[in-house]
């Protein structure tokens, strides 16, 4: 491997998201896996014999032979890493991620612990890449080059991409969101088969609050000189989250009230034309098209569409009016203007892949 690549570490490397990091970082043009961290019971084991591998591709040989270290900035090879990706569970992530950032090692986290910290960006590079600049405030506060960048919830990640495109053009006043979330979103072993087979679970603890709160921060603005750095978007959001018997891919149905009216065809064209700084900068993991619009009335579907753009593209279909054209009642069928269905790969764009693009953006902007 080229010595010019940036050494990176993975915290929580044996879990489902940690495995996805390993899969996606193979052959990366900028980053090279140099350290793997795991829980106490696996420290000192080689990766091959510690992991219950869930991916369809085999474990890369170079990773299989790596010895797992404690999740500490001074342990093993972590001290030689220029950044770490965190796939840690929230109940342990906080102090560990803080320790790395205090040791001047940037952290790109999937955990919820710091998502609403005053100086920590909640990032979706296809939506709010300008928020990355706030890491300079963290660096100034710490007096070193360490900082934390967080992913939003995996459903929020997919939701905000088309919402950003539509909001830029027409303005969004209100959104009602109904999710059908894959079992992989719960991690491994996740939801019991006895609970999810032949069933839908209409409750995911804490998820609705995350979607509503995180969307406002992501679609909001940044005031680097303000008392409050992040200024939330003023938008009404009501979320309903459900777990369904699908392995990967969160499907989300959305109804929107717009500030400026638009036809479904105009909205579809806006979505097709949308691009972001991730594409302009040519980030290695960024898809050519952040959004793909599907015309078939029965798409998107998880099994058919989740791997679009290698799992980094959000697919959108069923873009239609908020009014039912067949409704003959005197009272209008709906107060919403546009309805649509979207699909996001929850463990790629919505988790590990999103963090990798965050790190690519940070490098492109000179923060790494």
């Amino acid at each position: 491997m080229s010595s010019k690549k940036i050494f990176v570490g993975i915290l929580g490397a044996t879990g489902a998201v940690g495995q996805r990091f390993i899969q996606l970082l193979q052959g990366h043009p900028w980053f090279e896996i140099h350290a793997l961290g795991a829980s106490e019971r696996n420290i000192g084991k080689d990766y091959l014999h510690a992991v219950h591998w869930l991916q369809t591709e085999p474990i890369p040989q170079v990773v299989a032979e790596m010895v797992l270290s404690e999740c500490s900035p001074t342990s093993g090879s972590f001290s030689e890493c220029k950044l770490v990706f965190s796939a840690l569970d929230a109940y342990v992530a906080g102090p560990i991620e803080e320790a790395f950032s205090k040791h001047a090692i940037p952290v790109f986290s999937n955990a919820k612990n710091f998502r609403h910290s005053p100086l920590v960006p909640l990032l979706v590079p296809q939506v709010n890449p300008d928020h990355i600049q706030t890491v300079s405030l963290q660096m100034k506060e710490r007096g070193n080059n360490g900082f934390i960048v967080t992913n939003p919830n995996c459903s929020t990640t997919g939701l905000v991409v088309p919402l950003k495109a539509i909001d830029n053009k027409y303005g969004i006043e209100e959104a009602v969101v109904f999710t059908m979330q894959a079992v992989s979103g719960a991690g491994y072993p996740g939801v019991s088969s006895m609970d999810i087979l032949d069933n839908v679970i209409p409750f995911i603890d804490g998820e609705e609050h995350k979607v509503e709160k995180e969307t406002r921060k992501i679609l909001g603005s940044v005031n680097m000189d303000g008392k409050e750095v992040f200024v939330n978007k003023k938008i009404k959001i009501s979320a309903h989250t459900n777990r369904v018997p699908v392995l990967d891919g969160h499907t989300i149905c959305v109804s929107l009230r717009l500030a400026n009216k638009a036809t479904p065809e105009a909205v579809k064209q806006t979505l097709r034309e949308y691009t972001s700084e991730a594409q302009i900068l040519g980030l290695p993991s960024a898809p050519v098209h952040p959004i793909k619009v599907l015309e078939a009335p029965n798409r998107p579907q998880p099994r058919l569409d989740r791997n679009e753009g290698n799992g980094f593209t959000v697919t959108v279909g069923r873009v239609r009016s908020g009014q039912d054209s067949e409704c003959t009642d005197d009272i209008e069928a709906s107060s919403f203007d546009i309805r649509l269905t979207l699909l996001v790969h929850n463990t790629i764009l919505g988790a590990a892949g999103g963090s990798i693009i965050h790190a690519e953006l940070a490098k492109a902007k000179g923060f790494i």
Side-chain angles (χ1 to χ4, degrees):
M1 294 185 186
S2 171
S3 60
K4 294 181 180 179
K5 288 189 178 182
I6 296 171
F7 283 172
V8 305
I10 301 172
L11 306 174
T14 60
V17 176
Q19 293 176 34
R20 187 68 83 175
F21 272 121
I22 289 170
Q23 181 187 50
L24 294 174
L25 286 167
Q26 292 311 296
H28 194 282
W30 296 355
F31 304 139
E32 178 180 326
I33 300 172
H34 188 65
L36 299 175
S39 60
E40 185 176 350
R41 71 177 182 274
N42 286 321
I43 293 172
K45 296 180 182 178
D46 62 70
Y47 189 76
L48 176 64
H49 294 101
V51 70
H52 176 62
W53 188 252
L54 302 169
Q55 307 306 313
T56 55
E57 301 168 2
I59 304 173
Q61 187 61 35
V62 66
V63 172
E65 297 172 355
M66 295 180 71
V67 175
L68 292 162
S69 301
E70 179 186 359
C71 292
S72 166
T74 59
S75 176
S77 300
F78 278 116
S79 62
E80 299 170 347
C81 294
K82 296 297 184 183
L83 64 94
V84 293
F85 296 106
S86 175
L88 294 169
D89 288 331
Y91 72 91
V92 297
I96 295 173
E97 293 176 358
E98 185 67 24
F100 274 88
S101 65
K102 286 181 177 178
H103 276 75
I105 301 176
V107 179
F108 296 86
S109 174
N110 278 261
K112 66 182 180 180
N113 304 64
F114 296 103
R115 286 176 182 168
H116 298 286
S117 296
L119 301 180
V120 175
L122 184 58
L123 207 60
V124 180
Q126 296 92 319
V127 175
N128 62 339
D130 57 312
H131 289 205
I132 191 70
Q133 65 186 304
T134 60
V135 302
S136 64
L137 300 177
Q138 293 186 54
M139 293 160 70
K140 181 179 179 180
E141 184 176 77
R142 289 189 173 91
N144 64 34
N145 292 328
F147 57 82
I148 298 172
V149 172
T150 59
N151 283 9
N153 171 269
C154 43
S155 291
T156 307
T157 299
L159 173 66
V160 294
V161 178
L163 258 57
K164 176 66 172 178
I166 295 169
D167 187 56
N168 282 354
K169 189 75 175 284
Y170 306 107
I172 297 174
E173 294 180 342
E174 184 175 2
V176 173
V177 178
F178 180 97
T179 74
M180 292 167 277
Q181 297 180 219
V183 293
S184 59
Y188 184 84
V191 184
S192 164
S193 60
M194 291 286 285
D195 289 330
I196 197 62
L197 290 177
D198 189 33
N199 203 19
V200 171
I201 302 173
F203 172 74
I204 305 174
D205 190 25
E207 205 85 348
E208 291 162 354
H209 176 70
K210 291 177 189 175
V211 172
E212 294 168 359
K213 187 174 182 180
E214 292 171 5
T215 299
R216 294 186 179 99
K217 180 173 180 178
I218 295 164
L219 294 180
S221 58
V222 169
N223 181 0
M224 294 290 285
D225 299 318
K227 184 177 180 181
E228 292 188 1
V229 174
F230 298 102
V231 181
N232 286 353
K233 173 78 176 178
K234 292 183 179 179
I235 178 175
K236 296 178 181 178
I237 307 173
S238 178
H240 311 261
T241 59
N242 305 267
R243 189 74 69 192
V244 297
V246 170
L247 183 58
D248 289 316
H250 290 352
T251 304
I252 306 175
C253 299
V254 186
S255 295
L256 300 173
R257 182 178 294 114
L258 306 180
N260 300 291
K261 306 307 178 187
T263 66
E265 287 304 317
V267 170
K268 284 191 280 187
Q269 190 60 27
T270 295
L271 295 172
R272 290 190 188 100
E273 294 174 352
Y274 181 71
T275 191
S276 72
E277 193 172 9
Q279 281 72 43
I280 295 169
L281 291 171
L283 302 182
S285 300
V288 175
H289 303 290
I291 301 170
K292 181 173 182 179
V293 177
L294 304 174
E295 292 290 354
N298 64 343
R299 303 281 282 277
Q301 296 179 26
R303 191 167 58 190
L304 301 179
D305 301 308
R306 60 192 168 209
N307 290 318
E308 185 69 39
N310 295 319
F312 288 92
T313 293
V314 176
T315 50
V316 178
R318 302 208 68 215
V319 181
R320 61 205 190 279
S321 171
Q323 307 298 323
D324 188 344
S325 61
E326 298 182 2
C327 180
T328 57
D329 296 340
D330 292 335
I331 300 174
E332 290 186 340
S334 170
S335 61
F336 291 96
D337 300 300
I338 291 291
R339 292 176 286 178
L340 59 84
T341 301
L342 66 93
L343 175 72
V344 59
H345 198 305
N346 55 294
T347 67
I348 298 183
L349 181 62
S355 284
I356 292 170
I357 301 183
H358 297 169
E360 294 170 357
L361 178 66
K363 179 183 180 297
K365 291 290 187 178
F367 293 114
I368 294 173

PDB file of all heavy atoms in Angstrom, residues 4-17:
ATOM      1  N   LYS A   4       1.738   7.144   1.126  1.00  0.00           N
ATOM      2  CA  LYS A   4       1.165   8.474   1.073  1.00  0.00           C
ATOM      3  C   LYS A   4      -0.273   8.502   1.591  1.00  0.00           C
ATOM      4  O   LYS A   4      -0.832   9.567   1.816  1.00  0.00           O
ATOM      5  CB  LYS A   4       1.199   9.003  -0.363  1.00  0.00           C
ATOM      6  CG  LYS A   4       2.614   9.226  -0.902  1.00  0.00           C
ATOM      7  CD  LYS A   4       2.578   9.775  -2.318  1.00  0.00           C
ATOM      8  CE  LYS A   4       3.991   9.996  -2.849  1.00  0.00           C
ATOM      9  NZ  LYS A   4       3.980  10.518  -4.245  1.00  0.00           N
ATOM     10  N   LYS A   5      -0.869   7.343   1.750  1.00  0.00           N
ATOM     11  CA  LYS A   5      -2.240   7.305   2.246  1.00  0.00           C
ATOM     12  C   LYS A   5      -2.284   7.690   3.720  1.00  0.00           C
ATOM     13  O   LYS A   5      -1.322   7.531   4.462  1.00  0.00           O
ATOM     14  CB  LYS A   5      -2.849   5.915   2.059  1.00  0.00           C
ATOM     15  CG  LYS A   5      -3.173   5.590   0.595  1.00  0.00           C
ATOM     16  CD  LYS A   5      -3.963   4.298   0.490  1.00  0.00           C
ATOM     17  CE  LYS A   5      -4.325   3.982  -0.942  1.00  0.00           C
ATOM     18  NZ  LYS A   5      -5.139   2.749  -1.060  1.00  0.00           N
ATOM     19  N   ILE A   6      -3.437   8.199   4.138  1.00  0.00           N
ATOM     20  CA  ILE A   6      -3.643   8.630   5.519  1.00  0.00           C
ATOM     21  C   ILE A   6      -4.039   7.431   6.362  1.00  0.00           C
ATOM     22  O   ILE A   6      -4.990   6.711   6.029  1.00  0.00           O
ATOM     23  CB  ILE A   6      -4.736   9.719   5.570  1.00  0.00           C
ATOM     24  CG1 ILE A   6      -4.284  10.962   4.818  1.00  0.00           C
ATOM     25  CG2 ILE A   6      -5.110  10.055   7.012  1.00  0.00           C
ATOM     26  CD1 ILE A   6      -5.377  11.993   4.628  1.00  0.00           C
ATOM     27  N   PHE A   7      -3.311   7.213   7.458  1.00  0.00           N
ATOM     28  CA  PHE A   7      -3.653   6.125   8.366  1.00  0.00           C
ATOM     29  C   PHE A   7      -4.944   6.462   9.121  1.00  0.00           C
ATOM     30  O   PHE A   7      -5.065   7.543   9.715  1.00  0.00           O
ATOM     31  CB  PHE A   7      -2.532   5.899   9.385  1.00  0.00           C
ATOM     32  CG  PHE A   7      -1.343   5.160   8.833  1.00  0.00           C
ATOM     33  CD1 PHE A   7      -0.187   5.037   9.589  1.00  0.00           C
ATOM     34  CD2 PHE A   7      -1.370   4.559   7.579  1.00  0.00           C
ATOM     35  CE1 PHE A   7       0.924   4.352   9.107  1.00  0.00           C
ATOM     36  CE2 PHE A   7      -0.274   3.872   7.079  1.00  0.00           C
ATOM     37  CZ  PHE A   7       0.872   3.768   7.850  1.00  0.00           C
ATOM     38  N   VAL A   8      -5.893   5.512   9.122  1.00  0.00           N
ATOM     39  CA  VAL A   8      -7.146   5.690   9.847  1.00  0.00           C
ATOM     40  C   VAL A   8      -7.391   4.496  10.744  1.00  0.00           C
ATOM     41  O   VAL A   8      -6.910   3.383  10.485  1.00  0.00           O
ATOM     42  CB  VAL A   8      -8.340   5.883   8.879  1.00  0.00           C
ATOM     43  CG1 VAL A   8      -8.080   7.027   7.916  1.00  0.00           C
ATOM     44  CG2 VAL A   8      -8.659   4.601   8.108  1.00  0.00           C
ATOM     45  N   GLY A   9      -8.139   4.734  11.817  1.00  0.00           N
ATOM     46  CA  GLY A   9      -8.540   3.666  12.716  1.00  0.00           C
ATOM     47  C   GLY A   9     -10.049   3.516  12.719  1.00  0.00           C
ATOM     48  O   GLY A   9     -10.787   4.431  12.331  1.00  0.00           O
ATOM     49  N   ILE A  10     -10.518   2.362  13.158  1.00  0.00           N
ATOM     50  CA  ILE A  10     -11.951   2.094  13.264  1.00  0.00           C
ATOM     51  C   ILE A  10     -12.248   1.660  14.692  1.00  0.00           C
ATOM     52  O   ILE A  10     -11.685   0.665  15.185  1.00  0.00           O
ATOM     53  CB  ILE A  10     -12.408   1.008  12.276  1.00  0.00           C
ATOM     54  CG1 ILE A  10     -12.108   1.435  10.831  1.00  0.00           C
ATOM     55  CG2 ILE A  10     -13.898   0.716  12.453  1.00  0.00           C
ATOM     56  CD1 ILE A  10     -12.360   0.341   9.808  1.00  0.00           C
ATOM     57  N   LEU A  11     -13.105   2.386  15.368  1.00  0.00           N
ATOM     58  CA  LEU A  11     -13.554   2.055  16.719  1.00  0.00           C
ATOM     59  C   LEU A  11     -14.833   1.240  16.618  1.00  0.00           C
ATOM     60  O   LEU A  11     -15.750   1.608  15.898  1.00  0.00           O
ATOM     61  CB  LEU A  11     -13.809   3.336  17.521  1.00  0.00           C
ATOM     62  CG  LEU A  11     -12.658   4.343  17.579  1.00  0.00           C
ATOM     63  CD1 LEU A  11     -13.112   5.626  18.272  1.00  0.00           C
ATOM     64  CD2 LEU A  11     -11.449   3.746  18.285  1.00  0.00           C
ATOM     65  N   GLY A  12     -14.892   0.135  17.354  1.00  0.00           N
ATOM     66  CA  GLY A  12     -16.053  -0.745  17.228  1.00  0.00           C
ATOM     67  C   GLY A  12     -16.004  -1.529  15.932  1.00  0.00           C
ATOM     68  O   GLY A  12     -17.010  -1.696  15.245  1.00  0.00           O
ATOM     69  N   ALA A  13     -14.827  -2.038  15.591  1.00  0.00           N
ATOM     70  CA  ALA A  13     -14.580  -2.616  14.268  1.00  0.00           C
ATOM     71  C   ALA A  13     -15.282  -3.945  14.027  1.00  0.00           C
ATOM     72  O   ALA A  13     -15.455  -4.344  12.874  1.00  0.00           O
ATOM     73  CB  ALA A  13     -13.076  -2.791  14.063  1.00  0.00           C
ATOM     74  N   THR A  14     -15.687  -4.658  15.086  1.00  0.00           N
ATOM     75  CA  THR A  14     -16.293  -5.979  14.884  1.00  0.00           C
ATOM     76  C   THR A  14     -17.804  -5.917  14.676  1.00  0.00           C
ATOM     77  O   THR A  14     -18.397  -6.904  14.237  1.00  0.00           O
ATOM     78  CB  THR A  14     -16.003  -6.907  16.075  1.00  0.00           C
ATOM     79  OG1 THR A  14     -16.545  -6.333  17.269  1.00  0.00           O
ATOM     80  CG2 THR A  14     -14.502  -7.130  16.230  1.00  0.00           C
ATOM     81  N   GLY A  15     -18.434  -4.787  14.963  1.00  0.00           N
ATOM     82  CA  GLY A  15     -19.879  -4.658  14.806  1.00  0.00           C
ATOM     83  C   GLY A  15     -20.293  -4.505  13.356  1.00  0.00           C
ATOM     84  O   GLY A  15     -19.464  -4.415  12.442  1.00  0.00           O
ATOM     85  N   ALA A  16     -21.594  -4.428  13.129  1.00  0.00           N
ATOM     86  CA  ALA A  16     -22.130  -4.372  11.768  1.00  0.00           C
ATOM     87  C   ALA A  16     -21.656  -3.124  11.025  1.00  0.00           C
ATOM     88  O   ALA A  16     -21.255  -3.196   9.858  1.00  0.00           O
ATOM     89  CB  ALA A  16     -23.658  -4.422  11.810  1.00  0.00           C
ATOM     90  N   VAL A  17     -21.690  -1.975  11.687  1.00  0.00           N
ATOM     91  CA  VAL A  17     -21.240  -0.744  11.032  1.00  0.00           C
ATOM     92  C   VAL A  17     -19.724  -0.741  10.886  1.00  0.00           C
ATOM     93  O   VAL A  17     -19.180  -0.301   9.862  1.00  0.00           O
ATOM     94  CB  VAL A  17     -21.724   0.501  11.801  1.00  0.00           C
ATOM     95  CG1 VAL A  17     -21.163   1.785  11.179  1.00  0.00           C
ATOM     96  CG2 VAL A  17     -23.246   0.562  11.799  1.00  0.00           C
TER      97      VAL A  17
END
